[in-house]
Amino acid sequence: MIALAAHDPVPVTVQPDGLKGLLGVPVAAKGIVIFAHGSGSGRLSPRNTHVAQGLRDAGLATLLIDLLTPVEEQDRVNVFDIPLLASRLKAATGWVRLLAGMAALPVGYFGASTGAGAALLAASGPDARIAAIVSRGGRPDLAGSAALAHVRAPTLLIVGSRDLPVIELNRIAQRHLHAENELLIVPGATHLFEEPGTLDAVIDHAARWFRQHFQEA
């Protein structure tokens, strides 16, 4: 097991695509959460960095990863290519499971915005073995109704109360999910959860969801 201080993630290169990531593994981690960022964001996103720190404080390992190379990011088509992003996320999951001491850890996905669609698509395969998924201000609908119906991982959909169009899109996606799921509305939050205390509420809910379902896994 890689043993790092909970506040000290280290740079890694995730193969086979040479993607840049930040891996943080607290002592006696209960599982690992891989982040799928939204369009225009990346492994250095202040919001996801803050969430990842909170999850590590709760005893969960985290992998913040750029699912595209710098060259690929220049083409905006790639940024919204959900199947491509999902394939990269699946490859990163395989890479994590090959790390020393990681094979036995449950794996979860934390998806933001378009990254939520990629996370759910990646988890829809028959061999995915994903223990839990959390979506923050996500677009789970982008995974497609057929994929959503095949997701087996318990899924928590977190949306801000002032993000009305995304609330409706999450409700539509929720109707296609057959796995355990919950739609949680954070009072006063807009799409980016920039309001005081709203992102910390996301951390609390996400940590609860992951720890509960990692333990069951």
Side-chain angles (χ1 to χ4, degrees):
M1 172 69 67
I2 301 171
L4 306 171
H7 60 278
D8 191 24
V10 297
V12 293
T13 300
V14 180
Q15 301 301 344
D17 299 296
L19 305 175
K20 299 302 181 184
L22 290 169
L23 177 66
V25 186
V27 175
K30 305 301 183 184
I32 181 164
V33 178
I34 304 176
F35 281 65
H37 305 289
S39 59
S41 188
R43 71 188 187 283
L44 303 179
S45 155
R47 284 179 292 277
N48 280 345
T49 298
H50 182 64
V51 173
Q53 179 65 67
L55 295 182
R56 289 193 298 274
D57 289 343
L60 305 174
T62 61
L63 175 62
L64 294 158
I65 182 175
D66 293 340
L67 295 176
L68 298 173
T69 66
V71 172
E72 290 170 336
E73 288 177 347
Q74 301 306 309
D75 185 345
R76 293 295 291 174
V77 172
N78 291 329
V79 174
F80 296 96
D81 189 335
I82 303 302
L84 172 61
L85 300 177
S87 70
R88 294 289 173 80
L89 190 55
K90 287 190 286 187
T93 305
W95 177 84
V96 162
R97 287 176 168 146
L98 292 176
L99 293 178
M102 290 288 204
L105 287 184
V107 175
Y109 290 155
F110 183 97
S113 192
T114 53
L120 284 155
L121 182 57
S124 68
D127 58 347
R129 294 188 295 119
I130 301 305
I133 298 171
V134 174
S135 163
R136 172 185 65 80
R139 291 289 309 277
D141 56 297
L142 294 178
S145 58
L148 291 171
H150 286 94
V151 172
R152 296 180 301 281
T155 300
L156 176 63
L157 307 171
I158 305 176
V159 188
S161 67
R162 296 164 62 189
D163 195 8
L164 299 180
V166 174
I167 290 176
E168 183 56 29
L169 290 170
N170 274 253
R171 285 179 173 148
I172 292 170
Q174 190 180 25
R175 290 199 286 268
H176 297 287
L177 284 169
H178 300 317
E180 176 188 350
N181 64 85
E182 179 182 341
L183 175 59
L184 195 151
I185 309 297
V186 176
T190 52
H191 185 63
L192 296 180
F193 292 84
E194 296 175 305
E195 296 74 22
T198 56
L199 200 55
D200 289 328
V202 169
I203 293 172
D204 290 342
H205 293 305
R208 168 186 59 84
W209 192 263
F210 283 126
R211 287 177 65 91
Q212 173 187 342
H213 294 291
F214 283 175
Q215 184 176 9
E216 293 171 357

